[in-house]
Amino acid sequence: MYRDIADFALTTPAWLHTLAEVGTDAGLFVFAALFVVAALRAWRAPARDLALVIAGPAGVVVAYVVSEVVKILVREDRPCRGGIVTIADCPPPDDWSFPSNHSVIAAGAAATLVLAWRALAWVVFPLAAVMAFSRVFVGVHYPHDVAGGFLIGLALAPLFALLCVGAVTPAVRLARSRLSLR
């Protein structure tokens, strides 16, 4: 399946190649911007709502760290090292393939944003899926790399965010009380 996708990608227009390469990283900035908007939206909402927004990126970081540990343990070579032509340059030899960190971050960001702002689901989950697929499209990951990364982000990021929200909520209340005194 990887080879079929990578070969198909080479037949697509150059603008799509650029969009796929730049779009994956740009999508991460879209998620960061959505966290800022969600925080502004939750600023005057109950403390738990803002705590969820704050805990979301922490959950994404935890999922990312787990994916890095898995990469070191699995040590799967990138498919682009097999001598095939791909859209993107192949990462260095010590940058392992499984799981896809981009997929972990995209799925984790989408899942934690939805915890804080459910109405975003119809935007963030398709964006995360496209970002994950683009990693196969440009040739730097196998499909199972992005599927595994997506599942790690989808499961671990919101779980950790929910585990942290109890500790973050009192901090939000305290910060709000101190800010209101000024």
Side-chain angles (χ1 to χ4, degrees):
M1 182 187 318
Y2 164 80
R3 189 65 186 245
D4 292 336
I5 294 168
D7 288 345
F8 169 74
L10 292 171
T11 68
T12 60
W15 63 265
L16 188 56
H17 299 181
T18 303
L19 181 64
E21 281 193 274
V22 173
T24 302
D25 292 329
L28 299 177
F29 289 107
V30 170
F31 281 123
L34 286 171
F35 275 111
V36 170
V37 172
L40 293 172
R41 180 179 174 271
W43 188 254
R44 299 212 184 271
R48 185 177 188 281
D49 293 356
L50 184 54
L52 270 173
V53 176
I54 293 168
V60 174
V61 169
V62 168
Y64 172 81
V65 169
V66 169
S67 76
E68 279 297 305
V69 170
V70 171
K71 272 185 186 267
I72 291 167
L73 295 173
V74 174
R75 299 173 61 100
E76 177 186 63
D77 257 345
R78 299 261 182 176
C80 47
R81 292 203 186 95
I84 66 166
V85 178
T86 59
I87 292 171
D89 293 333
C90 200
D94 62 341
D95 188 351
W96 305 109
S97 192
F98 182 85
S100 163
N101 288 337
H102 280 85
S103 299
V104 170
I105 295 167
T112 56
L113 276 165
V114 169
L115 284 177
W117 191 357
R118 284 181 177 74
L120 286 179
W122 70 274
V123 173
V124 295
F125 284 125
L127 175 61
V130 168
M131 288 171 60
F133 174 76
S134 75
R135 305 305 290 160
V136 179
F137 186 84
V138 300
V140 297
H141 281 290
Y142 292 109
H144 68 269
D145 298 338
V146 298
F150 207 87
L151 289 174
I152 289 170
L154 199 59
L156 294 184
L159 176 63
F160 185 78
L162 288 170
L163 289 173
C164 286
V165 77
V168 176
T169 302
V172 168
R173 286 189 188 112
L174 178 63
R176 284 180 172 172
S177 70
R178 299 250 171 119
L179 289 172
S180 68
L181 293 177
R182 294 177 184 192

